Short mmCIF file of all heavy atoms in Angstrom, two decimals:
data_model
loop_
_atom_site.label_atom_id
_atom_site.label_comp_id
_atom_site.label_asym_id
_atom_site.label_seq_id
_atom_site.Cartn_x
_atom_site.Cartn_y
_atom_site.Cartn_z
N GLY A 106 -17.21 5.72 10.68
CA GLY A 106 -16.54 5.21 11.88
C GLY A 106 -17.43 4.25 12.60
O GLY A 106 -18.54 3.90 12.14
N GLY A 107 -16.96 3.80 13.76
CA GLY A 107 -17.87 2.85 14.54
C GLY A 107 -17.85 1.45 14.02
O GLY A 107 -17.16 1.08 13.07
N VAL A 108 -18.75 0.70 14.62
CA VAL A 108 -19.00 -0.74 14.14
C VAL A 108 -20.01 -0.62 13.04
O VAL A 108 -21.17 -0.18 13.25
CB VAL A 108 -19.47 -1.61 15.32
CG1 VAL A 108 -19.79 -3.01 14.85
CG2 VAL A 108 -18.44 -1.61 16.46
N ILE A 109 -19.68 -1.12 11.89
CA ILE A 109 -20.54 -1.01 10.70
C ILE A 109 -20.64 -2.37 9.93
O ILE A 109 -19.79 -3.21 10.06
CB ILE A 109 -20.09 0.08 9.75
CG1 ILE A 109 -18.57 -0.14 9.37
CG2 ILE A 109 -20.27 1.44 10.37
CD1 ILE A 109 -18.36 -0.75 8.07
N ASP A 110 -21.68 -2.48 9.11
CA ASP A 110 -21.76 -3.52 8.10
C ASP A 110 -21.04 -2.91 6.86
O ASP A 110 -21.43 -1.87 6.41
CB ASP A 110 -23.21 -3.81 7.78
CG ASP A 110 -23.43 -4.74 6.57
OD1 ASP A 110 -22.35 -5.06 5.87
OD2 ASP A 110 -24.52 -5.07 6.27
N PRO A 111 -19.99 -3.42 6.36
CA PRO A 111 -19.22 -2.86 5.32
C PRO A 111 -20.07 -2.74 4.01
O PRO A 111 -19.72 -1.92 3.21
CB PRO A 111 -18.05 -3.75 5.04
CG PRO A 111 -18.37 -5.11 5.71
CD PRO A 111 -19.38 -4.75 6.81
N GLY A 112 -21.16 -3.45 3.91
CA GLY A 112 -22.01 -3.39 2.72
C GLY A 112 -21.39 -3.93 1.49
O GLY A 112 -22.07 -3.96 0.46
N SER A 113 -20.19 -4.46 1.51
CA SER A 113 -19.55 -5.10 0.34
C SER A 113 -18.76 -6.28 0.91
O SER A 113 -18.17 -6.15 1.98
CB SER A 113 -18.65 -4.12 -0.36
OG SER A 113 -17.84 -4.82 -1.32
N ASP A 114 -18.72 -7.31 0.18
CA ASP A 114 -18.04 -8.52 0.59
C ASP A 114 -16.71 -8.74 -0.06
O ASP A 114 -16.23 -9.86 -0.01
CB ASP A 114 -18.98 -9.78 0.62
CG ASP A 114 -20.13 -9.66 1.54
OD1 ASP A 114 -19.98 -9.13 2.61
OD2 ASP A 114 -21.23 -10.10 1.16
N HIS A 115 -16.18 -7.70 -0.75
CA HIS A 115 -14.89 -7.92 -1.37
C HIS A 115 -13.78 -7.95 -0.29
O HIS A 115 -13.95 -7.44 0.78
CB HIS A 115 -14.62 -6.89 -2.50
CG HIS A 115 -14.38 -5.51 -1.96
ND1 HIS A 115 -15.39 -4.48 -2.08
CD2 HIS A 115 -13.35 -4.92 -1.42
CE1 HIS A 115 -14.94 -3.38 -1.59
NE2 HIS A 115 -13.68 -3.58 -1.18
N HIS A 116 -12.64 -8.64 -0.62
CA HIS A 116 -11.56 -8.77 0.39
C HIS A 116 -10.26 -8.42 -0.26
O HIS A 116 -10.03 -8.68 -1.50
CB HIS A 116 -11.49 -10.23 0.84
CG HIS A 116 -12.72 -10.70 1.53
ND1 HIS A 116 -13.06 -10.37 2.85
CD2 HIS A 116 -13.77 -11.44 1.11
CE1 HIS A 116 -14.24 -10.90 3.12
NE2 HIS A 116 -14.67 -11.56 2.09
N HIS A 117 -9.38 -7.77 0.48
CA HIS A 117 -8.04 -7.43 0.06
C HIS A 117 -8.03 -6.68 -1.31
O HIS A 117 -7.19 -6.88 -2.09
CB HIS A 117 -7.11 -8.69 -0.05
CG HIS A 117 -6.96 -9.45 1.22
ND1 HIS A 117 -6.16 -8.99 2.22
CD2 HIS A 117 -7.54 -10.59 1.65
CE1 HIS A 117 -6.20 -9.81 3.22
NE2 HIS A 117 -7.02 -10.78 2.92
N ASP A 118 -8.96 -5.79 -1.41
CA ASP A 118 -9.06 -4.98 -2.64
C ASP A 118 -8.15 -3.72 -2.54
O ASP A 118 -8.00 -3.09 -1.52
CB ASP A 118 -10.56 -4.54 -2.85
CG ASP A 118 -10.70 -3.99 -4.29
OD1 ASP A 118 -10.91 -4.80 -5.16
OD2 ASP A 118 -10.70 -2.79 -4.43
N ILE A 119 -7.56 -3.36 -3.65
CA ILE A 119 -6.69 -2.23 -3.72
C ILE A 119 -7.38 -0.88 -3.42
O ILE A 119 -6.78 0.04 -2.94
CB ILE A 119 -6.07 -2.16 -5.14
CG1 ILE A 119 -4.76 -1.31 -5.08
CG2 ILE A 119 -7.03 -1.68 -6.24
CD1 ILE A 119 -3.91 -1.42 -6.32
N SER A 120 -8.74 -0.91 -3.46
CA SER A 120 -9.45 0.31 -3.07
C SER A 120 -9.55 0.50 -1.63
O SER A 120 -10.02 1.54 -1.13
CB SER A 120 -10.88 0.24 -3.71
OG SER A 120 -11.58 -0.77 -3.12
N ASP A 121 -9.15 -0.46 -0.79
CA ASP A 121 -9.24 -0.36 0.64
C ASP A 121 -7.80 -0.21 1.22
O ASP A 121 -7.41 -0.92 2.18
CB ASP A 121 -9.85 -1.63 1.20
CG ASP A 121 -11.35 -1.70 0.77
OD1 ASP A 121 -12.01 -0.69 0.94
OD2 ASP A 121 -11.73 -2.76 0.30
N ALA A 122 -6.99 0.66 0.67
CA ALA A 122 -5.66 0.89 1.09
C ALA A 122 -5.54 1.93 2.16
O ALA A 122 -6.32 2.88 2.23
CB ALA A 122 -4.82 1.30 -0.15
N VAL A 123 -4.53 1.83 3.01
CA VAL A 123 -4.06 2.83 3.95
C VAL A 123 -2.59 2.99 3.76
O VAL A 123 -1.90 2.02 3.39
CB VAL A 123 -4.43 2.55 5.40
CG1 VAL A 123 -5.92 2.54 5.63
CG2 VAL A 123 -3.75 1.25 5.85
#
Side-chain angles (χ1 to χ4, degrees):
V108 178
I109 53 98
D110 171 357
S113 173
D114 294 325
H115 68 256
H116 300 283
H117 299 286
D118 192 82
I119 199 166
S120 67
D121 295 311
V123 295

